[in-house]
Amino acid sequence: MAICPECDAEIEVDEFDVDKGDQVSCPECGSNLEVTGLSPIELDVAPDEDDEDDDADEDDADGDDEDDDDEDEEEGDNDEGWEE
């Protein structure tokens, strides 16, 4: 038995059927919960998947922009040499 950190409802979770990091849903409030401990079972509010995806997309976009800027500068240096 585990306790929902959102609504304090008792949630029946078999410690042999879950692993640390697994997600379960609270039947009372519907919150997505992550298993953070196994003996005893401990639950915490799971991070939103949408937020994680957005953060990863932003990191990729930032990294790509920086690489493109470096390439543009290098190409610009080469173009100046040809103009002479």
Side-chain angles (χ1 to χ4, degrees):
M1 200 63 77
I3 303 294
C4 174
E6 288 290 302
C7 68
D8 293 328
E10 290 185 356
I11 303 172
E12 188 172 333
V13 180
D14 186 354
E15 67 181 280
F16 299 108
D17 287 341
V18 295
D19 289 319
K20 213 172 193 180
D22 285 354
Q23 292 192 1
V24 296
S25 181
C26 175
E28 293 294 320
C29 68
S31 293
N32 289 327
L33 307 170
E34 182 175 354
V35 177
T36 58
L38 294 176
S39 187
I41 296 288
E42 295 178 16
L43 302 173
D44 197 4
V45 178
D48 290 337
E49 290 180 14
D50 293 338
D51 290 344
E52 288 179 4
D53 290 343
D54 291 343
D55 292 342
D57 291 343
E58 289 173 8
D59 291 343
D60 291 343
D62 291 342
D64 291 343
D65 291 342
E66 291 173 12
D67 293 341
D68 291 342
D69 291 342
D70 292 342
E71 289 174 13
D72 292 342
E73 290 173 12
E74 290 173 10
E75 290 173 9
D77 293 342
N78 291 340
D79 290 340
E80 291 174 13
W82 289 102
E83 290 178 12
E84 292 180 20

